[in-house]
Amino acid sequence: EAVILQVHDTRFQVPIEGIKKYPDSFFGVWILSGRWKTDEALIIERDEKTFSIVVEILINGVRKTLPSIKSDQVASLIEDLDYFQLSEEKEIVKTYFGPSELSSQAIRNLLSIDEFRRCFDDTHLRGITFHNFHFSKCSFRRATLCSSSISRMQVDDCTLDDAHLSHLTCRGSNFTNTRLSNVCWREAHITETSFSKCQLSTGDFSSAILTSTKFDRCNLSGVNFKGSHLADIHFEHCDLSDANFEGANLTGAKLLNCMCARTIFNKCDLREARFSISAYGRRGIQHDGDRNKSDFVDASFQEALLMGVDLRDLNLRGANFKKANLKCAIMLRAKIV
């Protein structure tokens, strides 16, 4: 059984069960009031093209209809949804298509629409708190999250290229298979966070504070870490080629099996940093299979503090140690020339 809705010369048939899903709407009230007659069409004076979208929403639901809605139809559709008292559907459409300034609750509403790949490109999320969020296959290109707070957040297979994350606070979060190229992290505070298989090339971490943070199999080539606090940070199987750590605090840092060609460590504090993955048995015998494969070709350590640091097995060809403090540093089997 279907309801006939007529706009000008066009007739739309909507199953009565679809109408009954919206009892508080204009259509629901009309049906339930007993005024509806099966052999009569309800004449509606609205725009035909926009009303066809309203009909699709009545039949298939708003979430399945969203991808077919064009941006130039949004304003008139919201007006029609308001006219027909489809208030919840109106709010979903408004949240899905903007405005560019979103609240954390609005984002949660969008994430509940599981059928679609969510896009937050160019959105302004300054100062928002994200707690216990899970973003999967979302896009935040050029988004602004400056001064926002992130905790216990999981980010998988997302894109945040060219995003602005300066002064961000991030704790206990995980980023996996995510693109973060050319992201501004200036003066961010990141702790107990992991990045795995992420693309972070040419990002800017200058003056940032990263504690208990791990980068595993990430591309960090060309990243700017100047003046950052990176004590006890962990890089493993990462590409740090052409990165700049000038003036950074890297005490106790781990750089294991990393590509550091042309990387700048000038004026860095590298005391207690670990560059070697050499393992020792009970008799202190090194296992050949565990030797470090890190490459520091043409890296620069000018005026760096490297006292007592273990540099064994490293490829240091062309490295510059001018005015570096290498007192008690271990360079066993290191390739110098």
Side-chain angles (χ1 to χ4, degrees):
E1 194 172 16
V3 177
I4 300 174
L5 307 174
Q6 183 171 337
V7 180
H8 304 303
D9 295 328
T10 303
R11 287 192 166 200
F12 301 91
Q13 288 193 356
V14 181
I16 191 170
E17 293 304 318
I19 297 286
K20 287 181 177 180
K21 291 178 183 177
Y22 308 96
D24 297 325
S25 70
F26 168 87
F27 307 105
V29 171
W30 175 61
I31 292 292
L32 296 174
S33 68
R35 289 177 289 171
W36 172 61
K37 296 180 181 180
T38 56
D39 58 344
E40 292 183 2
L42 177 62
I43 307 300
I44 297 172
E45 296 294 330
R46 304 299 290 180
D47 177 75
E48 187 176 335
K49 290 184 179 179
T50 304
F51 187 73
S52 67
I53 304 173
V54 175
V55 170
E56 188 176 348
I57 290 173
L58 292 173
I59 297 173
N60 299 317
V62 65
R63 288 176 169 81
K64 290 185 179 179
T65 307
L66 285 172
S68 63
I69 301 172
K70 298 178 181 178
S71 58
D72 59 355
Q73 298 172 319
V74 173
S76 57
L77 176 59
I78 289 173
E79 186 178 327
D80 269 17
L81 292 173
D82 185 60
Y83 179 85
F84 293 116
Q85 299 169 34
L86 292 159
S87 55
E88 183 177 343
E89 287 64 34
K90 180 187 73 173
E91 292 305 314
I92 290 175
V93 171
K94 286 174 64 177
T95 301
Y96 188 84
F97 286 97
S100 60
E101 190 108 14
L102 296 177
S103 66
S104 60
Q105 185 56 49
I107 293 171
R108 282 194 187 276
N109 291 340
L110 289 181
L111 292 175
S112 69
I113 307 173
D114 294 328
E115 297 97 321
F116 314 111
R117 182 177 184 272
R118 280 77 68 188
C119 180
F120 302 95
D121 293 349
D122 301 298
T123 52
H124 300 286
L125 307 169
R126 183 186 298 270
I128 290 180
T129 298
F130 298 89
H131 177 68
N132 204 25
F133 271 73
H134 183 191
F135 291 104
S136 179
K137 297 182 180 178
C138 294
S139 180
F140 288 86
R141 290 184 180 90
R142 300 173 302 279
T144 299
L145 292 93
C146 302
S147 303
S148 292
S149 178
I150 292 172
S151 62
R152 295 178 61 188
M153 190 167 83
Q154 182 71 39
V155 182
D156 301 320
D157 301 299
C158 293
T159 301
L160 289 91
D161 291 343
D162 300 300
H164 300 277
L165 309 181
S166 58
H167 299 94
L168 176 78
T169 300
C170 178
R171 177 184 293 274
S173 298
N174 299 294
F175 294 79
T176 306
N177 289 320
T178 292
R179 291 190 57 87
L180 294 144
S181 294
N182 203 36
V183 170
C184 176
W185 304 83
R186 281 197 298 268
E187 298 185 48
H189 192 170
I190 302 170
T191 184
E192 298 173 0
T193 294
S194 67
F195 296 83
S196 178
K197 298 180 182 177
C198 291
Q199 171 66 257
L200 296 115
S201 59
T202 64
D204 184 1
F205 284 88
S206 58
S207 301
I209 300 173
L210 285 76
T211 56
S212 301
T213 294
K214 181 177 181 179
F215 294 88
D216 181 33
R217 290 164 291 174
C218 293
N219 183 351
L220 292 135
S221 59
V223 170
N224 180 12
F225 286 103
K226 289 180 69 173
S228 55
H229 183 90
L230 306 170
D232 300 312
I233 197 167
H234 191 153
F235 297 102
E236 188 161 357
H237 297 286
C238 291
D239 184 356
L240 288 159
S241 301
D242 300 297
N244 189 345
F245 289 89
E246 185 169 356
N249 181 352
L250 283 156
T251 55
K254 297 179 179 67
L255 292 91
L256 311 178
N257 277 333
C258 292
M259 171 61 71
C260 296
R262 300 172 303 280
T263 303
I264 297 172
F265 295 97
N266 297 344
K267 299 180 180 179
C268 283
D269 189 344
L270 288 152
R271 289 174 294 181
E272 300 181 22
R274 184 180 170 194
F275 294 87
S276 175
I277 59 171
S278 301
Y280 290 87
R282 293 181 180 178
R283 298 181 181 179
I285 300 174
Q286 182 183 25
H287 301 286
D288 289 340
D290 293 321
R291 288 183 181 176
N292 199 1
K293 298 177 183 177
S294 294
D295 194 333
F296 288 80
V297 172
D298 296 324
S300 180
F301 294 88
Q302 293 186 56
E303 300 183 55
L305 301 179
L306 291 152
M307 296 87 82
V309 172
D310 189 346
L311 300 172
R312 74 183 74 197
D313 299 312
L314 299 185
N315 184 355
L316 296 168
R317 289 190 174 96
N320 185 348
F321 289 94
K322 185 177 181 181
K323 295 185 179 180
N325 191 331
L326 289 159
K327 186 177 180 180
C328 299
I330 302 171
M331 304 185 76
L332 183 66
R333 293 184 301 275
K335 299 178 179 66
I336 306 297
V337 293

